[in-house]
Amino acid sequence: MRKKTDLIEGIIDDIRRIFQALTEQSRRVGYETNLTGPQLWVVKLLKETSPMKVSDLARRMYLHPATMVGLLDRLEVKGLLKRTRSEDDRRVVYINLTEQGRELEVNSPEVVQNLLAKGLEGLAGQELSVISESLGQIVHLLGVQDVPPQLIMTAKIKVPKTKELL
Amino acid sequence: MRKKTDLIEGIIDDIRRIFQALTEQSRRVGYETNLTGPQLWVVKLLKETSPMKVSDLARRMYLHPATMVGLLDRLEVKGLLKRTRSEDDRRVVYINLTEQGRELEVNSPEVVQNLLAKGLEGLAGQELSVISESLGQIVHLLGVQDVPPQLIMTAKIKVPKTKELL
DNA sequence: ATAAATAATTTGGTATACAAACTATTTATA
DNA sequence: TATAAATAGTTTGTATACCAAATTATTTAT
């Protein structure tokens, strides 16, 4: 049997790897869609539910409304979404994807969640239970049982293009 | 027994929670040290090994040298580190922590790794094996077995200070 | 002696992020 | 009903992180 310290080291390495996969994915976005992480996140959210108010989006992404406006500006310039002022309450602005936005969403890289979900479906229920248990313990150790799970997406991570860094 | 789809959902939620705990930690940094994530990362690296060349630091953090210079500038202004041009090779600049920098490092929040390590030490070897197995499977699913584990730290994440967002 | 490579920096640009102030609009209240 | 308070979105100003390309100084290779 492996030594306890080795096991712990391995576990932490694996968590780092998972973390990296998540951020890695967000880098790939840049290459494949010319959007940054947060930008694609907006598009993905709008695909799920739309229209959405500016404030809804800000809340969902845990961002300041001012930051949201900037994000929306850039996406609007790219022609991926459309602002529409509400008739009922003229303070409200609804955000919708344009046809171009929907198109981009479809062709954008799989979000990590889906990748995982598909992989997990291939496992037996028994195995899933074990994995579930294990993760539960880690979550417990980190003391985040009660944290509402958010969408996975890092703020901004770019890939270094210069060879020297690879 | 729980349904397979429920298990999968739970697993993904847990991964999100872990991810969040990691980024959450990097947010806390801001409050407790007045440094950003990358800035503390530099300090932590220098605590581990110093002096380090600018290029070493850039490589370790997967950043462009120019980005590194900016980071170092800000930390130097804060009086946390000192640049010293090498005598041997006058192109090289060595970075050292100042006394103030070492002091800050000691009082800075535990890096997640340590938090986890301590928690895991409390578990039985048997349990650790199970957890190790489980994570291995996830890593495998994500196809990142061969990725070298990096230090955990996100690029830049700030905490929203306005109540409306909490 | 000169060309090529290397280390760090400067310059110029973009995106994310927040706070504070501002505009327009709606709701509450006196 | 007039006015105060709240709300939604925006603008403005500032900071950080990030990169690419050009620059300077220095070292190594030819």
Side-chain angles (χ1 to χ4, degrees):
Chain A
M1 200 186 89
R2 284 164 71 198
K3 285 275 272 305
K4 213 167 144 176
T5 51
D6 287 348
L7 282 169
I8 290 176
E9 216 171 286
I11 287 171
I12 290 178
D13 276 357
D14 276 348
I15 289 178
R16 285 176 177 154
R17 290 199 178 92
I18 293 170
F19 185 88
Q20 248 206 291
L22 301 178
T23 57
E24 184 58 39
Q25 190 264 350
S26 128
R27 293 181 195 190
R28 209 168 26 212
V29 169
Y31 283 139
E32 299 184 15
T33 65
N34 252 310
L35 293 187
T36 62
Q39 287 172 8
L40 182 66
W41 188 358
V42 171
V43 172
K44 292 276 177 189
L45 282 176
L46 286 171
K47 188 277 183 89
E48 266 177 43
T49 43
S50 72
M52 277 182 114
K53 302 184 200 169
V54 175
S55 48
D56 290 339
L57 282 166
R59 211 172 357 259
R60 284 286 285 275
M61 292 179 64
Y62 294 80
L63 293 180
H64 198 281
T67 305
M68 201 64 234
V69 168
L71 260 168
L72 294 176
D73 286 347
R74 285 181 287 274
L75 287 170
E76 198 178 28
V77 165
K78 286 175 203 268
L80 300 177
L81 54 80
K82 195 167 68 259
R83 282 170 155 108
T84 316
R85 198 160 281 276
S86 162
E87 293 295 323
D88 299 349
D89 182 340
R90 311 210 18 84
R91 293 169 304 176
V92 170
V93 169
Y94 285 113
I95 312 293
N96 278 289
L97 285 183
T98 60
E99 187 48 51
Q100 210 188 327
R102 269 188 297 279
E103 216 169 279
L104 178 142
E105 192 282 327
V106 173
N107 298 320
S108 69
E110 197 91 69
V111 199
V112 174
Q113 286 92 305
N114 303 339
L115 202 86
L116 255 179
K118 276 186 190 134
L120 291 171
E121 274 164 27
L123 301 180
Q126 187 61 49
E127 286 179 294
L128 291 178
S129 296
V130 173
I131 293 175
S132 175
E133 273 294 319
S134 298
L135 287 178
Q137 277 183 291
I138 291 174
V139 166
H140 192 79
L141 286 181
L142 290 173
V144 282
Q145 313 89 13
D146 304 325
V147 175
Q150 299 180 214
L151 234 178
I152 293 173
M153 185 68 70
T154 54
K156 183 199 175 186
I157 292 164
K158 284 256 181 86
V159 195
K161 260 134 202 155
T162 30
K163 267 144 239 157
E164 49 174 317
L165 292 181
L166 303 177
Chain B
M1 200 187 89
R2 284 164 70 197
K3 283 275 270 306
K4 213 166 144 176
T5 51
D6 288 348
L7 282 169
I8 290 176
E9 215 171 286
I11 288 171
I12 290 178
D13 275 357
D14 275 348
I15 290 177
R16 283 176 178 153
R17 289 197 179 95
I18 293 170
F19 185 89
Q20 247 207 292
L22 300 181
T23 57
E24 181 58 41
Q25 191 265 349
S26 129
R27 293 183 195 188
R28 207 167 25 210
V29 169
Y31 283 139
E32 299 185 15
T33 66
N34 254 309
L35 294 187
T36 62
Q39 286 172 7
L40 183 65
W41 190 358
V42 171
V43 173
K44 292 276 179 189
L45 281 176
L46 285 172
K47 188 276 183 88
E48 264 176 45
T49 44
S50 72
M52 277 183 114
K53 301 184 200 169
V54 175
S55 48
D56 289 340
L57 281 166
R59 212 173 358 259
R60 284 285 286 275
M61 291 177 65
Y62 294 78
L63 292 180
H64 196 283
T67 305
M68 200 65 233
V69 168
L71 260 168
L72 294 176
D73 286 347
R74 286 183 284 275
L75 287 170
E76 197 180 26
V77 166
K78 286 174 202 268
L80 300 177
L81 54 81
K82 193 167 68 262
R83 281 169 156 107
T84 316
R85 196 160 282 275
S86 164
E87 292 296 323
D88 299 349
D89 183 341
R90 311 210 19 84
R91 294 170 302 177
V92 171
V93 169
Y94 285 113
I95 312 294
N96 278 288
L97 285 182
T98 60
E99 187 49 51
Q100 210 188 328
R102 270 189 296 278
E103 215 168 280
L104 179 142
E105 192 282 327
V106 174
N107 298 321
S108 69
E110 197 94 64
V111 198
V112 176
Q113 286 92 306
N114 303 339
L115 202 86
L116 253 181
K118 281 193 187 124
L120 291 172
E121 274 164 27
L123 300 181
Q126 187 61 49
E127 286 179 293
L128 291 178
S129 295
V130 174
I131 293 175
S132 175
E133 273 294 318
S134 298
L135 286 178
Q137 278 184 289
I138 291 174
V139 166
H140 192 79
L141 286 180
L142 290 172
V144 282
Q145 314 89 13
D146 303 326
V147 174
Q150 299 180 214
L151 234 180
I152 293 172
M153 186 68 72
T154 53
K156 182 197 177 187
I157 292 163
K158 283 259 182 87
V159 193
K161 259 132 203 157
T162 29
K163 266 144 237 154
E164 49 176 314
L165 292 181
L166 302 177

